[in-house]
Amino acid sequence: ESDVLNVFGFTSEQTVAGFTEKILRGQTSEALAVLDEQSAAGKEMMKLMGDLISHLRDLLVFKVRPAALADEAAPEIQSSLGEEAALVETDRLLELIEQFAAAEGRMKWAPNKKLHFEVAVIKAIQTLSQVTLSEVIDNLATLRAGGSAAPVGPATSTPKAVAPPAAV
């Protein structure tokens, strides 16, 4: 299998799954290192982007209906999808797919495909660490009800402030 992957410049499913997990965990440096390794090994960047989008699609389907991929994905890929599903909410996953699809369109005609891929990875990780409006509204509703607000932002990264704290 590795010979066939190398001859055609393709990347293994396990590598794509690991790459995706690094993105979802907000590990920018590690994700870019994987991208750099794949590029240095002569892997086709457009194919890798397509594989990443396909993996994110599988993750989306898995989150919505886990049994749907029982016949499509290998058991080890299904296991990694289960781990990844816990790292990201469905709405964030949809944003990632849209961002990577847009980057894929830009890469098509770009002379430096790796640059566009790197920027897309960095933007995706930043997107995952941003606070959503629904999280802010939920916390405000909780505070109004007399409860304590939950930490805002994804559990896998440090939340970013949306505005400077107001003086009391």
Side-chain angles (χ1 to χ4, degrees):
E1 179 185 1
S2 67
D3 289 342
V4 171
L5 292 172
N6 285 334
V7 166
F8 290 104
F10 296 166
T11 304
S12 72
E13 286 183 330
Q14 284 80 15
T15 301
V16 174
F19 182 46
T20 304
E21 186 170 339
K22 287 175 183 8
I23 292 169
L24 295 178
R25 290 190 183 277
Q27 300 171 332
T28 307
S29 179
E30 292 86 346
L32 292 177
V34 170
L35 187 57
D36 192 48
E37 289 167 8
Q38 294 301 302
S39 177
K43 305 300 181 177
E44 175 57 47
M45 291 292 103
M46 287 298 294
K47 176 69 173 130
L48 180 57
M49 178 62 87
D51 290 346
L52 175 62
I53 293 169
S54 179
H55 187 79
L56 290 171
R57 173 258 175 208
D58 289 348
L59 180 56
L60 180 64
V61 170
F62 185 87
K63 281 189 73 66
V64 174
R65 197 169 138 237
L69 297 177
D71 295 334
E72 286 182 38
E76 57 273 2
I77 298 300
Q78 287 184 31
S79 173
S80 71
L81 288 172
E83 293 171 17
E84 292 166 9
L87 298 174
V88 65
E89 295 300 320
T90 304
D91 59 338
R92 298 285 181 142
L93 194 50
L94 289 167
E95 285 179 54
L96 290 182
I97 292 170
E98 288 175 2
Q99 284 181 354
F100 283 121
E104 183 181 39
R106 289 188 303 273
M107 285 172 62
K108 217 171 260 188
W109 307 109
N112 189 347
K113 294 174 183 358
K114 183 180 171 196
L115 169 69
H116 289 278
F117 206 152
E118 290 167 334
V119 169
V121 167
I122 292 168
K123 282 184 177 181
I125 291 171
Q126 286 178 342
T127 296
L128 291 171
S129 66
Q130 292 174 346
V131 177
T132 64
L133 184 58
S134 62
E135 290 168 336
V136 172
I137 291 171
D138 290 345
N139 274 340
L140 288 174
T142 302
L143 287 172
R144 277 193 169 160
S148 67
V152 180
T156 59
S157 65
T158 307
K160 292 186 176 184
V162 254
V168 179

